[in-house]
Amino acid sequence: MKPYCRGGLDNEMMVANFRIFRGRRVIENGFGILANRFRHFMGTLEQGPEVVRLLVETGVLLHNLLRIRFPAIGNAEVDREDEDPQHHPWCLAPSTQQR
């Protein structure tokens, strides 16, 4: 959705703009958490819309599963990039993954 132009906004338009910006901020924050956890999301996703939707849904499910399975990993661990990818095998770079 595109927000209204800034000039001459009535109250309803200002509320609509606020909701659009708030929604965008929530989505960007969530995607940032996914990108920090899974390096695949740091680059450009060049797949089609349906594949990207499945990738994002899978990333969210894996993120939630890891949060349940490893509760000792706090938000500070999720919101930063690991210095040593060997510490968490699920975030290995593609070149270091076992085949």
Side-chain angles (χ1 to χ4, degrees):
M1 294 185 73
K2 189 173 181 179
Y4 291 104
C5 296
R6 296 205 182 261
L9 297 179
D10 63 12
N11 194 35
E12 286 184 28
M13 292 177 172
M14 288 175 37
V15 169
N17 277 356
F18 174 77
R19 290 179 178 163
I20 290 170
F21 290 131
R22 183 178 55 189
R24 181 179 297 158
R25 187 179 68 236
V26 168
I27 296 298
E28 288 176 355
N29 289 344
F31 203 79
I33 290 171
L34 281 179
N36 281 333
R37 172 68 65 105
F38 305 108
R39 292 186 181 125
H40 175 75
F41 293 110
M42 286 190 178
T44 302
L45 299 176
E46 297 181 5
Q47 296 83 2
E50 283 300 311
V51 175
V52 170
R53 184 183 61 81
L54 290 173
L55 288 171
V56 171
E57 287 178 1
T58 303
V60 169
L61 289 171
L62 286 172
H63 169 77
N64 291 340
L65 178 67
L66 291 170
R67 295 281 301 210
I68 292 168
R69 175 96 167 133
F70 302 102
I73 300 174
N75 288 335
E77 291 291 322
V78 172
D79 292 340
R80 72 171 179 79
E81 188 171 339
D82 291 331
E83 299 297 325
D84 180 20
Q86 299 295 331
H87 180 63
H88 302 297
W90 60 83
C91 21
L92 291 175
S95 61
T96 62
Q97 289 179 347
Q98 297 176 352
R99 299 207 184 256

